[in-house]
């Protein structure tokens, strides 16, 4: 089976940098995804890592270490609109992804 | 593209009634996923289809739940009979499984189900 761990809550101030960690256990591994979900909304895709290293997309970056079964999402120049829940998801085969419980990020002025 | 379409957006029903949730995936996507989200259990995968065929239904909670995908542009999730513990937001998502980026899932707006 699959299991993922990520912090339940993170708080940061506007303009700061925040890192959300995700550790996972899985019987098969294709890649690690990150999704953002605002209150009352649907999850939206942010990034995907299949290989070790850092992927950068604008203010957001995602890192993966397959040997450590670990990844993180890095959010820079935080804005109030970044307040949301962030989910890591392990893709364990070609079709299926298992989501973590989510991290609620609160950005304060 | 219109994105993933789900209906209804809200459903309130009484315990014991049948509930049918509907989903239209993005045109050209050949994988479809049904998820359930609650505060207690988070985002759970119920079932997913590839090319209209159910591949993994291990997340379907019990026999009261059933899902179908009669064609590439339509899927239903049925609960019969419904129970209060089925109250949740149900998301449908689709993915272009056979072409890049096959890992990205596009979620619909969800159906908020309340069973009283």
């Amino acid at each position: 089976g699959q299991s993922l761990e990520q912090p339940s809550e993170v708080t940061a101030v506007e303009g700061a940098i925040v890192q959300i960690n995700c550790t996972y256990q899985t019987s098969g591994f294709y890649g690690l995804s990150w999704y953002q979900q605002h209150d009352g909304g649907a999850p939206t895709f942010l990034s995907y890592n299949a290989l070790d290293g850092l992927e950068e997309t604008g203010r957001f970056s995602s890192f993966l270490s397959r040997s450590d079964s670990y990844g993180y999402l890095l959010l820079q120049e935080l804005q109030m609109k970044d307040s949301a829940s962030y989910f890591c998801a392990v893709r364990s085969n070609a079709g299926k992804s298992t989501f973590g419980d989510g991290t609620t990020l609160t950005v304060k002025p | 593209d219109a994105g993933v379409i789900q209906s209804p957006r809200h459903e309130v029903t009484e315990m014991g009634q049948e509930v049918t949730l509907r989903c239209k995936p993005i045109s050209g996507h050949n994988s479809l996923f049904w998820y359930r989200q609650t505060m207690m259990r988070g985002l759970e995968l119920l079932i997913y289809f590839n090319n209209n065929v159910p591949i993994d239904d291990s997340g379907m909670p019990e026999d009261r739940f059933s899902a179908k995908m009669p064609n590439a542009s339509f899927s239903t999730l049925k609960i019969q009979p419904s129970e209060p513990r089925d109250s949740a937001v149900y998301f449908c998502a689709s993915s272009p499984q056979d072409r890049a980026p096959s890992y990205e899932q596009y979620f619909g707006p969800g159906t908020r189900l309340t069973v009283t």
Side-chain angles (χ1 to χ4, degrees), chain B residues 91-113:
Chain B
F91 288 105
C92 175
S94 69
S95 176
Q97 201 69 12
D98 59 352
R99 66 177 190 274
S102 62
Y103 45 79
E104 183 173 351
Q105 295 185 22
Y106 296 76
F107 283 75
T111 294
R112 183 173 295 276
L113 174 65

Side-chain angles (χ1 to χ4, degrees), chain A residues 23-53:
Chain A
T23 58
Y24 59 87
Q25 288 185 318
T26 180
S27 53
F29 183 82
Y30 274 57
L32 186 72
S33 298
W34 289 91
Y35 286 78
Q36 178 192 61
Q37 184 179 29
H38 285 100
D39 255 357
T44 56
F45 173 82
L46 291 177
S47 68
Y48 178 78
N49 294 70
L51 302 175
D52 290 353

Side-chain angles (χ1 to χ4, degrees), chain B residues 5-108:
Chain B
I5 299 172
Q6 290 187 248
S7 64
R9 293 293 306 276
H10 301 272
E11 176 80 26
V12 180
T13 191
E14 292 184 347
M15 182 173 65
Q17 296 298 306
E18 177 180 295
V19 175
T20 299
L21 310 182
R22 297 173 176 79
C23 175
K24 176 179 169 57
I26 293 173
S27 177
H29 286 192
N30 61 346
S31 287
L32 183 140
F33 308 82
W34 282 102
Y35 291 89
R36 177 172 68 175
Q37 187 173 38
T38 62
M39 288 295 293
M40 293 297 296
R41 301 177 66 90
L43 193 62
E44 304 173 274
L45 177 66
L46 301 177
I47 185 171
Y48 85 90
F49 295 83
N50 197 37
N51 293 321
N52 313 338
V53 176
I55 303 299
D56 185 341
D57 65 354
S58 58
M60 295 286 262
E62 49 197 274
D63 292 346
R64 297 185 297 107
F65 286 68
S66 63
K68 294 182 179 179
M69 192 165 186
N71 57 61
S73 58
F74 184 65
S75 177
T76 59
L77 178 68
K78 187 175 294 187
I79 308 172
Q80 165 64 22
S82 58
E83 297 181 4
R85 60 191 167 126
D86 301 330
S87 297
V89 179
Y90 290 81
F91 288 105
C92 175
S94 69
S95 176
Q97 201 69 12
D98 59 352
R99 66 177 190 274
S102 62
Y103 45 79
E104 183 173 351
Q105 295 185 22
Y106 296 76
F107 283 75

Side-chain angles (χ1 to χ4, degrees), chain A residues 5-10 19-22 34 86 101-104:
Chain A
E5 285 193 20
Q6 51 181 128
S8 58
E9 295 180 345
V10 172
Q19 178 174 313
I20 300 174
N21 298 320
C22 174
W34 289 91
Y86 292 85
D101 289 340
T103 298
T104 299

